[in-house]
């Protein structure tokens, strides 16, 4: 399985970016997906989760109301729309796939996910 994330870049505070993550190698549609981020000197943290079955979503409190996760199963792609970006959103963003197929529970721990993309850097300046 391979996950390829893209869409990162540099923006000013208040700006927007849309991250994409394309999956290949297994049945994307039966796996929930997550986005995580890791800022310099900090641990990787949960950002968003989207379920495989009904597309229900769950967000970290720090991004709720500003970020939107979505998926297109026909394209094996998961997206993260990030609006009203803040300097504290600066990090490398990673997409990841649930290690269990057909799981409907919300998962937020890194060890609940197995395959990880290479990360894409988001830099927000004030």
């Amino acid at each position: 399985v391979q996950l390829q994330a893209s869409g990162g870049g540099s923006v000013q505070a208040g700006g927007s970016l849309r991250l994409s993550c394309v999956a290949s190698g297994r049945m994307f549609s039966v796996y929930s997906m997550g986005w995580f981020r890791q800022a310099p000197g900090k641990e990787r943290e949960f950002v968003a989760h989207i379920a495989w079955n009904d597309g229900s979503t769950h967000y970290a409190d720090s991004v709720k109301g500003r970020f939107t996760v979505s998926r297109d199963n026909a394209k094996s792609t998961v997206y993260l729309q990030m609006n009203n970006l803040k300097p504290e959103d600066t990090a490398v963003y990673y997409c990841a796939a649930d290690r269990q197929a057909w799981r409907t529970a919300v998962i937020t721990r890194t060890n609940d996910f197995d395959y990880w993309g290479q990360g894409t850097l988001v830099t927000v300046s004030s």
Side-chain angles (χ1 to χ4, degrees):
V1 176
Q2 289 187 330
L3 299 174
Q4 181 73 34
S6 62
S10 297
V11 296
Q12 291 190 329
S16 298
L17 284 173
R18 188 194 195 202
L19 307 183
S20 300
C21 174
V22 180
S24 61
R26 68 177 178 183
M27 290 178 62
F28 174 82
S29 62
V30 299
Y31 289 88
S32 295
M33 299 293 293
W35 284 97
F36 288 76
R37 66 187 181 186
Q38 188 165 16
K42 296 187 176 182
E43 293 187 353
R44 193 167 298 189
E45 65 174 4
F46 169 79
V47 174
H49 170 271
I50 184 165
W52 70 272
N53 54 332
D54 59 2
S56 57
T57 57
H58 179 76
Y59 300 93
D61 288 342
S62 59
V63 306
K64 202 172 294 183
R66 300 187 297 122
F67 290 13
T68 302
V69 59
S70 61
R71 63 191 295 159
D72 184 338
N73 288 339
K75 296 182 179 180
S76 296
T77 302
V78 61
Y79 304 96
L80 185 68
Q81 176 67 43
M82 305 184 296
N83 298 327
N84 190 22
L85 283 160
K86 303 177 180 181
E88 52 264 42
D89 295 319
T90 295
V92 177
Y93 283 71
Y94 299 90
C95 59
D98 191 338
R99 65 173 60 251
Q100 294 183 19
W102 299 292
R103 173 157 56 181
T104 57
V106 174
I107 51 174
T108 62
R109 301 176 304 172
T110 55
N111 59 9
D112 285 325
F113 296 83
D114 51 5
Y115 296 98
W116 293 80
Q118 85 287 0
T120 184
L121 177 62
V122 173
T123 304
V124 184
S125 58
S126 57

